[in-house]
Amino acid sequence: MSDAPTEYTVLLYSDDAAVRDRIRLAIGVRPAADLKVEFADASTWEECRLLLDKYEIDLMVLDGEASPAGGIGIARQTKDEYATPPPVCVVLARPADRWLAAYAQVDQTLIAPLDPVTTGQTVAAMLRARRNGAIPLGTLGKLG
């Protein structure tokens, strides 16, 4: 087995570039020694859709407070419109909104302000699960 890290593409969504930058910094390009991340940025649902259609996205990290399309709504729409959606993590401002994220079939949530250790561990666990064949919530059928 090679010591080279496995590379993944993470889609960051927020209407605010500063929020995307904070999320990117909290994740880092190496959330774990065995993982390397490259980021694709989107500021609208249409951009998310184009990136999902054009590239292999391994994980979506969405801003739950974005406007006009919030991360929870985009998560649900992605789960509804794509037969094999990537796993989704939504950054929430309020822990009480986790119930809504669960309804939208969000795989994980993080609470702002982001703690880099918790964020890195959450993202690393999600990417490892994907590597090991875990099927995200809302997936119709099997991956692969």
Side-chain angles (χ1 to χ4, degrees):
M1 186 169 152
S2 172
D3 289 336
T6 306
E7 294 188 36
Y8 295 95
T9 302
V10 174
L11 188 154
L12 299 180
Y13 165 74
S14 179
D15 64 319
D16 185 338
V19 171
R20 290 193 308 271
D21 287 342
R22 285 194 294 272
I23 295 170
R24 184 185 347 272
L25 286 172
I27 295 170
V29 294
R30 294 288 295 268
D34 59 327
L35 305 171
K36 186 175 181 184
V37 172
E38 102 177 334
F39 296 98
D41 284 33
S43 61
T44 65
W45 164 236
E46 292 77 21
E47 289 176 5
C48 286
R49 190 182 318 222
L50 287 171
L51 290 167
L52 286 167
D53 291 344
K54 189 171 182 178
Y55 300 101
E56 182 176 337
I57 301 297
D58 298 299
L59 174 67
M60 295 175 72
V61 180
L62 311 174
D63 175 10
E65 304 304 309
S67 178
I72 291 174
I74 287 178
R76 182 60 190 230
Q77 197 161 353
T78 300
K79 301 289 184 160
D80 287 348
E81 292 184 9
Y82 289 85
T84 56
V88 176
C89 179
V90 175
V91 179
L92 302 170
R94 297 166 299 280
D97 287 340
R98 283 190 167 127
W99 75 270
L100 190 56
Y103 174 76
Q105 300 176 337
V106 169
D107 300 281
Q108 289 287 337
T109 58
L110 292 166
I111 303 300
L114 294 174
D115 170 53
V117 173
T118 302
T119 302
Q121 290 172 343
T122 299
V123 167
M126 293 180 78
L127 292 173
R128 286 184 188 121
R130 182 158 176 91
R131 176 177 64 198
N132 294 331
I135 297 174
L137 295 173
T139 300
L140 303 173
K142 296 174 75 175
L143 293 178

